[in-house]
Amino acid sequence: MAIKIIMDTDPGIDDAAALTMALNDPALDLKLITTVAGNVTVDKTTKNAQKLVRFFNKDVPVAAGAEQPLIKEFEDAARIHGESGMPGYDFPEDLKAPLNKTAVEALHDEIMASDEKITLVPTGSYTNIALLFSEYPEVKNHIDRIVAMGGTLGKGNMTSAAEFNVFTDPDAAKIVYQSGVPIVMVGLDITMKALLTPDSLSKLEHMNETGKMLHDIIINDGDNNENGIAMHDVNTIFYLLHPEAITTKDMWIDVITDGPAIGETVGDIRGAYHDGKTNASVCVDIDDEAFNKWFLEEVEKIKQG
Ligand code: RIB
Ligand code: CA
């Protein structure tokens, strides 16, 4: 039975790659895409999500969400993802309109209407999810778990302490981590290990139209080093489909919401400060070769787009 998921996302180049897998893998049933301001403004992240749904000719609704964080001032990542958020490929422009409801309303309606618990997959800041829990706390019992890209036990990518998605809206992240809903933290600890290698990238380009599209946008991603390009958000989908390739450790995660460490996810790695209680399964290691092999196989299976 396919896993019912909703992606809350800020495409964004790595979000686009994650959406590609979520839209096409038969083991996943993507019921809804909600968008949030993050890599670029929410009008752009929404248009980018619509472009991907159209590229793959899928009938998945898109609902636009929060324009800015709960409290913190909005700061985008256009320097990494380009002004459009998804540069480098001419997508079809005959797009369906987004739903005539907010992301929070769409999330509530989809979750409550589902005959099975839904898995939430946020790959941007968690503003929409925090608003949802605040406005409709009853949805929590209808969510199987949250598999969230964000956070780090090690070095950050916005400050030495904080990762972008949590840094963008630390207040929302704190609400989500304190919600009581089971959460899998897919943080930089594994996403900076499972880089898309230069060899994988060159194979993508000549694979099929989807491979060419991903190659043409991924080569613009500013989040890279000599070992490859970070596909942060794709790790959430890899975790859902191949949890055996990822090592997790349960622990309590606190989110810092002010001061110089704002946006830090602090792990109680010894279980010493929360009476042994835990609120997250944190991804601490990944088989990066398996990730690259799976990434290429996923794209090769896609027959259209
Ligand atoms: O820190 C990486 C995260 O920030 C990813 O979700 C990427 O898309 C950016 O939003
Ligand atoms: Ca993202």
Side-chain angles (χ1 to χ4, degrees):
M1 178 73 98
I3 304 169
K4 289 186 189 305
I5 69 170
I6 295 174
M7 279 193 75
D8 185 68
T9 181
D10 63 337
I13 294 168
D14 58 324
D15 305 75
L19 280 165
T20 293
M21 314 315 188
L23 282 161
N24 288 287
D25 194 294
L28 300 174
D29 180 5
L30 180 57
K31 305 302 290 182
L32 167 69
I33 299 168
T34 52
T35 58
V36 65
N39 286 321
V40 288
T41 51
V42 71
D43 58 320
K44 294 177 181 176
T45 60
T46 303
K47 185 162 187 182
N48 290 336
Q50 291 172 272
K51 284 181 176 179
L52 289 160
V53 170
R54 169 62 185 82
F55 179 83
F56 293 113
N57 295 312
K58 298 289 183 181
D59 186 20
V60 176
V62 175
E67 293 180 355
Q68 59 193 10
L70 297 181
I71 298 171
K72 197 165 174 282
E73 191 175 336
F74 175 57
E75 181 186 342
D76 73 21
R79 71 192 175 288
I80 300 287
H81 294 264
E83 282 307 311
S84 73
M86 206 163 73
Y89 186 84
D90 288 331
F91 288 91
E93 289 286 347
D94 53 329
L95 310 177
K96 274 188 190 170
L99 290 178
N100 186 23
K101 57 173 85 170
T102 66
V104 170
E105 296 300 327
L107 282 159
H108 168 266
D109 296 350
E110 190 64 44
I111 291 167
M112 298 308 284
S114 177
D115 55 2
E116 285 172 44
K117 286 191 173 186
I118 296 263
T119 296
L120 290 186
V121 183
T123 63
S125 68
Y126 310 147
T127 313
N128 292 333
I129 313 297
L131 290 168
L132 172 72
F133 288 174
S134 304
E135 206 164 327
Y136 299 107
E138 67 273 19
V139 301
K140 292 181 186 178
N141 294 327
H142 298 261
I143 296 169
D144 183 52
R145 58 183 171 169
I146 301 169
V147 179
M149 195 281 138
T152 180
L153 297 180
K155 186 170 173 293
N157 59 4
M158 287 303 286
T159 66
S160 58
E163 174 280 329
F164 179 79
N165 288 341
V166 178
F167 180 82
T168 295
D169 196 341
D171 303 284
K174 184 171 184 174
I175 289 170
V176 172
Y177 273 91
Q178 291 182 348
S179 68
V181 176
I183 185 162
V184 178
M185 181 173 121
V186 182
L188 299 179
D189 311 284
I190 65 165
T191 70
M192 286 310 292
K193 178 176 179 185
L195 302 178
L196 193 69
T197 63
D199 179 56
S200 294
L201 190 59
S202 65
K203 285 175 180 163
L204 265 185
E205 185 176 13
H206 307 293
M207 188 174 276
N208 54 26
E209 192 55 33
T210 298
K212 173 154 178 34
M213 177 273 285
L214 288 176
H215 168 274
D216 290 357
I217 66 172
I218 289 172
I219 56 175
N220 298 288
D221 194 319
D223 199 343
N224 62 70
N225 60 37
E226 66 282 2
N227 299 316
I229 301 178
M231 292 284 103
H232 302 286
D233 299 328
V234 182
N235 287 266
T236 62
I237 307 301
F238 187 53
Y239 173 84
L240 281 171
L241 298 176
H242 293 284
E244 74 282 356
I246 292 175
T247 307
T248 60
K249 186 175 188 310
D250 290 354
M251 66 181 78
W252 190 274
I253 293 285
D254 283 306
V255 179
I256 307 303
T257 55
D258 58 16
I262 189 169
E264 182 174 11
T265 44
V266 182
D268 182 2
I269 55 177
R270 294 186 302 125
Y273 300 103
H274 295 87
D275 305 324
K277 287 189 297 194
T278 65
N279 64 350
S281 287
V282 179
C283 298
V284 293
D285 199 8
I286 187 168
D287 181 337
D288 52 317
E289 287 183 14
F291 174 83
N292 271 273
K293 180 172 179 292
W294 165 80
F295 191 110
L296 296 175
E297 288 169 352
E298 282 290 283
V299 176
E300 193 144 44
K301 287 188 308 190
I302 298 171
K303 292 300 170 233
Q304 69 169 28

